[in-house]
Amino acid sequence: MIPQRVSLITIGAYDLPSLRSFYQKFGWEETASSSDNYAAFLTAGVILSLFPIEELEKDAGVSFTQDKQSYRAVSYAINVDEPSQVDTTIEQIREIGGKILREPSDAFWGGRTAYFADPENNLWEVAWNPTAVFDERGGMISF
C-alpha cells in the first residue's frame, strides 16, 4: 500500500533568491536543509521547498513549457482559524508585494476565501473553513 500522505511540495523557481525572499517576508523560517540553491520551509502539514526550475527539470527528466508570467494549473492553500484572518493575511501579503487575485469574500460553501499569486504566479488560497479540523501541529486533518 502506498502511504497516504503528502510530505513535501516543491515549486520550481525561475528566480530562487526573489521567490525565497517573498516567502521569508511571510515570517516563515527556513529549515537547516536550505542552501544557496534550495530553500525549504517547514509548515504545519508539509515542507514547502523552492528549487531552481532548470534543476527540477533535470531531476525529473522533463521540460516545462510555462514561463513565470503564466499561472500554473495548481493552487496551494493557507487555512486560517478565524474568518477575519483571511482579511488580515491578505493585507499582509499585499504589503509584501503579493498580487491579490480575489479579495476576501464569503464563499458559497460557508467559509471565507481569497486568492493571491506569488512573484512567479503560483496561486495561493487563504481560506477559513468552519468545518476544518487541525491536529496539534496545525496540519489540516479533515474538513
Side-chain angles (χ1 to χ4, degrees):
M1 181 172 167
I2 298 170
Q4 189 171 335
R5 67 177 151 229
V6 176
S7 45
L8 177 74
I9 294 175
T10 300
I11 296 175
Y14 291 95
D15 180 348
L16 180 63
S18 174
L19 202 55
R20 167 185 262 149
S21 174
F22 181 77
Y23 289 104
Q24 287 171 336
K25 289 175 186 173
F26 282 21
W28 291 3
E29 293 182 31
E30 291 187 49
T31 68
S33 62
S34 292
S35 68
D36 290 344
N37 295 316
Y38 180 74
F41 300 89
L42 181 60
T43 69
V46 300
I47 293 175
L48 175 67
S49 69
L50 308 176
F51 195 43
I53 198 158
E54 52 282 336
E55 295 300 318
L56 183 58
E57 287 176 322
K58 283 188 236 174
D59 200 39
V62 299
S63 294
F64 297 112
T65 57
Q66 293 181 325
D67 60 38
K68 70 179 184 177
Q69 303 306 315
S70 302
Y71 292 106
R72 300 182 193 188
V74 63
S75 69
Y76 310 98
I78 300 169
N79 281 75
V80 295
D81 297 316
E82 301 292 331
S84 62
Q85 286 179 294
V86 173
D87 300 66
T88 57
T89 301
I90 286 296
E91 282 310 309
Q92 290 170 328
I93 290 165
R94 187 186 322 273
E95 288 171 12
I96 63 169
K99 184 192 320 181
I100 308 307
L101 302 172
R102 178 178 166 193
E103 293 291 339
S105 63
D106 294 332
F108 70 91
W109 43 266
R112 188 155 179 81
T113 187
Y115 279 86
F116 71 93
D118 71 15
E120 295 190 359
N121 284 326
N122 294 294
L123 299 178
W124 284 85
E125 178 185 22
V126 177
W128 170 74
N129 184 329
T131 62
V133 178
F134 299 92
D135 67 15
E136 65 281 351
R137 296 178 315 140
M140 184 184 290
I141 56 175
S142 71
F143 63 91

